[in-house]
């Protein structure tokens, strides 16, 4: 009979009966009773009352019974830690049992009991088991160290278990080696700074020797560990690749992907001229192709990984196009992924095959798949110029089918083909116009409107066509409304006499009847352009458009390099780095490929193409219209300039002498600095930069990474002059003027109190109402002596941001109450937002890129800063003084682009793109933030800082 009988009982008084059975003298009865207890525990009944009775059953030679008791112990030890200690002696005894299975079972169970009280008893048995003569016990003990480290890391370090684990890497048994590597990797992941896996050529050799004899999971652990190793030269990289290559023929797909990861990483170090490089490329294709004969879920994971590999090294699979052809019974997620890879592999050699396949797919029944297939035809036209004509005729054949969604997708991609090959295929416009009535999707309608506006001079009835769209203007989506507005303005500039009414109609619809800010702004811009300078309007609206380039959806190169290091993990399926989906900081270490051999590239910039590389090496990434991400992808981040150090004002933190001696004397000489601030842990600036000294001209951003500035710069953020907040006539003779400042992370309200009354004023106190950022006085208002008539006193009131929060209108409004011996007076003032910009507001480049992509486009706000004749470097250093940090800078067509980040005291990040045209005093500022209501005030802060 099966064990299901243990789950069928529902008797009352069961616990009492089980207790009696557990204490029976008969071994068989005892075993039956423990099985019943485990069955009850499994279905969720509380059998913790039987703890002492079950623990008594541990004293047995029967391995099956022992396993059951240990299972019970693991489950209830946490809720009954005091009882669990009763079992410790048995554990210790079992760790010295002659049977290695029992020794291993004891140490495994002790590792699973996560009770602090028990861990200290575990150390001695664990130490013995780590040096046990039986490899099965040693491999179990190795994993136990990782479990124990998770419960009490300090204990593991104090007991020297980590050193023992490192010794196990040299063990004679491959499974022990694999488990030791797995345990060390696990521990290293939770403590990225510790250099536990200190790999060197000798230890790598031992790992490679163990690799051939391990179980498949052991092989994966070892391969993942190898992937983190940096060979010292290309010969070592080649030797490792040669010894890892046999793993490509393993039956387990996880082993294959781990081996591919190691090879992809080390190939970076091999010269392309080597014969071995070509051999390796040929060896990588068959295992990847084999993965596609697995079940659909595995195929999908393999395809997501292949997608990355093809973007990095398309030559590996360039002859394997046929395996990516879609089968009729593939699930949709596999079909779409295969389609993506087909386009990436499309080239002049195989385009005929690919197009025939794609045309076939476009007649399938699955709507999503058909749409993607039609898009794919358009992408092939853009990618392989020789095929463009064939692609266009294929798309026209598909339009003739009159299937609604096929027609719409075809129109969207034909718009891109027009952009890529101007004045070549415009003869098809007539066919497109015939299908106008059937378009109901925003993207297709917008594409058609763009075509009509762009080629209005070739379409006789363009005004009628656009007028037909205008009838339901308010029911259209924003995308269509914006496109329609632009198309009609284009039409007006091409045929002004016939379309004056039409353009007036669309401008009034956009500016007066619409509540969409983007649409209104664009409407007003066109209106003003047309009314003030039609010639300029023509130059702006009908400007020559840049040709679109090949791939729109390539992964950004540095991110791609990082994802290659994560092949075979969840990151390679999501196509996102682990930091984007793993909560908390645990285990997030940014990985990158080793620098290529023989190129002058630095390790920091793996995406910089070697000069003179043929353009076909790395496809260009198209920035979407008005998007800074395309600009960000090739950031001009040169290495820090060597030369004399810049005199920067560095902040000395606590008692650490960052200048390496001589700090005291510097402070005593007090070069224009204030005396050391007591109680803050900061000392005064050691040297002060003269006002006219900008960053050195060649340094790009004045030492972008703060290398010269010690811990950061302390120029102090901009302080506005004091203004009168409370006039004397409103406060019975008390006049209050003030301003706000931020110095070294401390916010203060600098007040000037004047007594214009005839009596003495005393007993001053101050209080703030709740406000948007929780600003509150950090100390009482201290005026030590009474304020005599006509006397003025200056006070700096420290503020913090831990007060009560309530959203104000405007956002930076602060309501203040001041009390003295005469009365209580109220006033409100606006504080500048830059006093809330914190010192650690500099975002890391990759993070900036990911965050910018992540924040929705509707959160982007555009502003102009006028009358500001500063250079990009001057702007950058001026803003840095107020904690607006330049993440990167580059020059595009003569325009300087600064990408900046800042962080508010409440943790809100604001990302900025500042466009500076040399010689022009007007800057364009784009701000993106998850709380868009902040943008207006950040812009005001920019204006204030740059103009003062």
């Amino acid at each position: 009979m099966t064990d299901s009988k243990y789950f069928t009982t529902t008797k009352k008084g069961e616990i009492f009966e089980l207790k009696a059975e557990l204490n029976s003298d008969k071994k068989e009865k005892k075993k039956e009773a423990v099985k019943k207890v485990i069955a009850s525990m499994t279905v969720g009944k509380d059998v913790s009352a039987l703890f002492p009775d079950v623990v008594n059953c541990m004293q047995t030679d029967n391995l099956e019974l022992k396993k059951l008791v240990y299972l019970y112990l693991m489950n209830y030890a946490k809720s009954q830690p005091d009882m669990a200690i009763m079992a410790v002696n048995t554990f210790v005894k079992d760790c010295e049992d002659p049977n290695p299975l029992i020794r291993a079972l004891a140490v495994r169970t002790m590792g699973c009991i996560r009770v602090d009280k028990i861990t200290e008893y575990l150390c001695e048995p664990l130490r013995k088991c780590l040096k046990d003569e039986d490899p099965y016990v040693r491999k179990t003990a190795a994993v136990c160290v990782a479990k124990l480290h998770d419960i009490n890391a300090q204990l593991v370090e104090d007991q020297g278990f980590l050193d023992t684990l490192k010794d196990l890497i040299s063990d004679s048994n491959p499974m022990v080696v694999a488990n030791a590597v797995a345990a060390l990797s696990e521990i290293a992941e939770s403590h990225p700074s510790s250099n536990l896996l200190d790999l060197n050529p000798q230890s790598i050799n031992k790992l490679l020797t163990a690799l051939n004899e391990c179980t498949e999971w052991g092989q994966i652990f070892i391969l993942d560990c190898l992937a983190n190793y940096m060979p010292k030269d290309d010969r070592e990289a080649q030797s490792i690749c040669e010894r890892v290559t046999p793993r490509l023929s393993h039956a387990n797909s996880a082993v294959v992907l781990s081996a591919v990861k190691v090879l992809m990483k080390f190939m970076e170090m091999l010269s392309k001229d080597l014969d071995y490089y070509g051999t390796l490329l040929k060896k990588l294709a068959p295992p990847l192709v084999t993965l596609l004969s697995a079940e659909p879920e595995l195929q999908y994971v393999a395809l997501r990984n292949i997608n990355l590999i093809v973007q990095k090294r398309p030559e590996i699979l360039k002859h394997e196009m046929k395996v990516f052809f879609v089968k009729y019974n593939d699930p949709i997620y596999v079909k779409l992924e295969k389609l993506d890879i087909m386009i990436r592999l499309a080239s002049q050699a195989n385009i005929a095959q690919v197009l025939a396949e794609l045309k076939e797919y476009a007649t399938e029944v699955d709507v999503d798949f058909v749409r993607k297939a039609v898009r794919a035809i358009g992408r092939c036209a853009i990618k392989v110029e020789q095929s463009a004509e064939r692609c266009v005729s294929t798309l026209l054949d598909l339009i003739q089918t009159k299937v609604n969604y096929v027609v719409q997708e075809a129109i969207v991609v034909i718009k891109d083909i027009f952009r890529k090959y101007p004045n070549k295929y415009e003869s098809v416009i007539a066919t497109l116009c015939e299908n106008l009535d059937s378009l109901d999707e925003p993207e297709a309608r917008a594409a058609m409107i763009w075509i009509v506006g762009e080629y209005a001079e070739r379409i006789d009835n363009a005004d009628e066509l656009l007028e037909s769209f205008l009838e339901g203007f308010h029911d259209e989506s924003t995308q269509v409304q914006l496109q329609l507005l632009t198309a009609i303005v284009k039409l007006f500039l091409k045929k002004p006499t016939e379309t004056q009414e039409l353009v007036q109609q669309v401008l009034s619809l956009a500016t007066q009847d619409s509540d969409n800010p983007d649409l209104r702004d664009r409407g007003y811009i066109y209106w003003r352009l047309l009314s003030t300078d039609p010639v300029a309007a023509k130059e702006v609206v009908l400007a020559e458009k840049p040709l679109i380039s090949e791939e729109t959806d390539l992964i950004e190169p540095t991110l791609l390099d990082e994802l290659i290091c994560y092949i075979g993990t969840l990151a390679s399926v999501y196509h996102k780095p682990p930091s984007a989906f793993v909560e908390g900081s645990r285990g997030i270490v940014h990985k990158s490929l080793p620098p290529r051999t023989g190129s002058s590239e630095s390790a920091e910039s793996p995406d910089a193409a070697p000069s003179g590389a043929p353009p076909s090496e790395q496809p260009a990434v198209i920035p979407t219209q008005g998007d800074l991400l395309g600009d960000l992808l090739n950031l001009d981040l040169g290495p820090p300039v060597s030369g004399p150090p810049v005199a920067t004002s560095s902040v000395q933190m606590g008692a650490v002498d960052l200048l390496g001696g001589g700090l005291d004397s510097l402070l005593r000489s007090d070069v224009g600095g204030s005396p050391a601030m007591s109680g803050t842990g900061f000392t005064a600036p050691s040297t002060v930069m003269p006002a006219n000294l900008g960053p050195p001209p060649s340094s790009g951003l004045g030492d972008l990474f703060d290398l010269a500035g010690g811990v950061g710069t302390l120029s102090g953020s901009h302080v506005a002059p004091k203004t009168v907040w409370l006039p004397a006539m409103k406060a019975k003779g008390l006049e209050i003027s003030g301003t706000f400042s931020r110095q070294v992370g401390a916010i203060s309200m600098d007040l000037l109190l004047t007594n214009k009354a005839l009596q003495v004023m005393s007993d001053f106190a101050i209080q703030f109402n709740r406000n948007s950022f929780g600003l509150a006085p950090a100390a009482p208002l201290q005026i030590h002596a009474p304020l005599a008539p006509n006397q003025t006193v200056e006070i700096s009131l420290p503020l913090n941001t831990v007060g009560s929060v309530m959203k104000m209108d405007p956002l930076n409004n602060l309501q203040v109450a001041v009390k003295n011996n005469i009365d209580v007076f109220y006033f409100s003032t606006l504080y500048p937002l830059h006093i809330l910009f914190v010192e650690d507001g500099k975002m890391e480049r990759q993070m900036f890129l990911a965050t910018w992509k992540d924040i929705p486009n509707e959160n982007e706000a555009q502003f102009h800063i006028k009358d500001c004749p500063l250079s990009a470097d001057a702007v950058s250093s001026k803003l840095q003084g107020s904690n607006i940090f330049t993440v990167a800078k580059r020059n595009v067509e003569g325009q300087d682009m600064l990408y900046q980040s800042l962080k508010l005291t409440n943790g809100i990040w604001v990302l900025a793109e500042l466009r500076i045209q040399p010689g022009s005093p007007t800057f364009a500022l784009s701000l993106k933030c998850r709380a868009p209501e902040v943008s207006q005030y950040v812009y005001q802060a920019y204006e204030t800082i740059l103009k003062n």
Side-chain angles (χ1 to χ4, degrees), residues 187-238:
I187 295 169
E189 224 167 65
S190 56
H191 292 71
S193 53
S194 64
N195 191 14
L196 285 177
L197 275 163
D198 186 13
L199 299 173
N200 52 42
Q202 290 72 38
S203 54
I204 288 292
N205 196 22
K206 286 169 187 160
L207 292 183
L208 287 164
T209 309
L211 186 61
N212 301 322
E213 301 164 44
C214 289
T215 64
E216 46 201 28
W217 286 110
Q219 292 183 27
I220 292 166
F221 288 132
I222 291 178
L223 287 167
D224 286 350
C225 179
L226 286 173
N228 294 329
Y229 175 62
M230 181 69 74
K232 60 178 186 299
D233 55 26
D234 54 345
R235 284 183 57 188
E236 191 186 356
Q238 181 174 337

Side-chain angles (χ1 to χ4, degrees), residues 672-694:
S674 56
M677 292 169 68
S678 57
T680 58
F682 286 88
T683 57
S686 54
T687 53
V688 174
M689 189 192 277
N692 60 353
L693 188 83

Side-chain angles (χ1 to χ4, degrees), residues 429-641:
I429 290 175
T431 317
L432 303 183
C433 291
E434 290 166 17
N435 294 283
L436 259 178
D437 301 336
S438 65
L439 306 181
D440 52 16
E441 290 167 17
E443 198 177 359
R445 289 173 77 85
M448 192 64 227
I449 291 166
W450 182 87
I451 292 170
V452 173
E454 189 65 20
Y455 301 103
E457 68 278 13
R458 302 173 189 227
I459 305 172
D460 299 333
N461 60 339
D463 48 344
E464 290 169 26
L465 295 176
L466 292 175
E467 203 166 353
S468 68
F469 282 106
L470 207 55
E471 286 158 14
F473 185 77
H474 288 304
D475 303 329
E476 299 285 6
S477 71
T478 307
Q479 185 183 8
V480 177
Q481 290 176 331
L482 287 165
Q483 204 55 265
L484 193 53
L485 171 61
T486 303
I488 290 176
V489 171
K490 282 181 185 171
L491 176 66
F492 172 69
L493 290 167
K494 290 175 183 179
K495 304 180 179 175
T497 46
E498 306 145 48
T499 53
Q500 199 156 358
E501 269 181 43
L502 190 60
V503 82
Q504 281 177 334
Q505 191 184 348
V506 77
L507 287 173
S508 74
L509 280 171
T511 54
Q512 287 157 31
D513 305 348
S514 168
D515 53 4
N516 180 320
D518 291 341
L519 188 62
R520 279 213 310 270
D521 285 354
R522 193 182 288 194
Y524 279 124
I525 287 169
Y526 284 151
W527 199 314
R528 289 192 183 132
L529 263 175
L530 293 171
S531 55
T532 52
D533 190 349
V535 179
K538 205 161 190 169
E539 283 174 13
V540 171
V541 180
L542 302 179
E544 192 71 24
K545 286 167 195 61
L547 297 184
I548 60 174
S549 53
E550 174 198 316
E551 291 277 8
T552 51
D553 59 348
L554 279 175
I555 293 175
E556 187 266 318
T558 43
L559 176 58
L560 178 61
D561 284 353
E562 187 175 350
L563 291 177
I564 292 288
C565 301
Y566 287 111
I567 282 177
T569 67
L570 207 51
S572 67
V573 179
Y574 285 162
H575 287 189
K576 288 179 177 176
S579 52
F581 59 86
V582 177
E583 283 189 6
S585 60
R586 180 188 153 128
I588 305 300
V589 181
H590 284 291
K591 298 184 181 179
S592 62
L593 294 180
R596 283 206 68 82
T597 311
S599 87
S600 57
E601 272 171 75
S602 65
E604 284 82 38
S605 129
D607 50 336
S611 56
S616 60
E617 291 279 309
Q618 187 70 45
V621 180
I622 313 178
T624 51
Q625 189 179 2
D627 187 354
L628 93 132
L629 292 175
D631 305 334
L632 260 176
L633 300 181
N634 333 326
L635 299 169
D636 289 339
L637 289 183
V641 176

Side-chain angles (χ1 to χ4, degrees), residues 756-767:
K756 296 193 173 177
L758 296 173
Q759 65 189 97
V760 173
M761 294 180 179
S762 60
D763 306 333
F764 284 92
I766 190 165
Q767 204 171 349

Side-chain angles (χ1 to χ4, degrees), residues 15 19 37 40-41 44-55 72 75-77 79-80 83:
I15 298 281
K19 201 178 182 76
V37 170
S40 302
M41 180 178 89
K45 288 184 191 167
D46 181 17
V47 283
S48 57
L50 298 168
F51 200 94
D53 306 288
V54 176
V55 170
Y72 177 88
N75 201 38
Y76 283 114
S79 58
Q80 312 237 2
M83 302 283 274

Side-chain angles (χ1 to χ4, degrees), residues 375-393:
R375 292 240 166 165
I377 295 172
R379 280 174 62 186
C380 286
I382 289 167
K383 186 172 180 186
V384 185
E385 190 167 342
Q386 295 76 3
S387 73
E389 195 148 337
R390 191 182 289 173
C391 291
V392 172
S393 64

